[in-house]
Amino acid sequence: MENLTLAVMAHIVDGPGECRHASIGVSLSGKGRASAAPVFIDRVRAMTLRGDNIADDLVSILDDYVSREDVAKAY
């Protein structure tokens, strides 16, 4: 997975556009806002994580991503 890129952005305005350039990108909502984090996988918005378990959910997404057969062949 040498070529895997992960972007974790902490700005809800610019973050989604910037994290689209990564293999997996997540844009956090920032302090004082509801917990919602759009997730991009291979440049496509895949889902929005919500709640108190965003970090754990992101780790699960990463695990699933690196175990995909098509991804393993590409790297």
Side-chain angles (χ1 to χ4, degrees), residues 42-55:
D42 294 328
R43 298 182 168 252
V44 176
R45 186 172 181 165
M47 67 197 71
T48 299
L49 301 178
R50 299 182 191 285
D52 296 331
N53 297 318
I54 289 175

Side-chain angles (χ1 to χ4, degrees), residues 39-72:
V39 177
F40 296 84
I41 300 174
D42 294 328
R43 298 182 168 252
V44 176
R45 186 172 181 165
M47 67 197 71
T48 299
L49 301 178
R50 299 182 191 285
D52 296 331
N53 297 318
I54 289 175
D56 293 333
D57 293 342
L58 184 58
V59 170
S60 294
I61 291 167
L62 284 165
D63 288 343
D64 290 346
Y65 186 87
V66 297
S67 68
R68 287 180 10 205
E69 187 174 326
D70 61 320
V71 172

Side-chain angles (χ1 to χ4, degrees), residues 5-28 37-47 58:
T5 55
L6 174 65
V8 179
M9 309 305 290
H11 195 270
I12 196 65
V13 176
D14 296 330
E18 293 177 14
C19 67
R20 280 191 179 114
H21 299 285
S23 304
I24 297 178
V26 61
S27 180
L28 304 171
V39 177
F40 296 84
I41 300 174
D42 294 328
R43 298 182 168 252
V44 176
R45 186 172 181 165
M47 67 197 71
L58 184 58

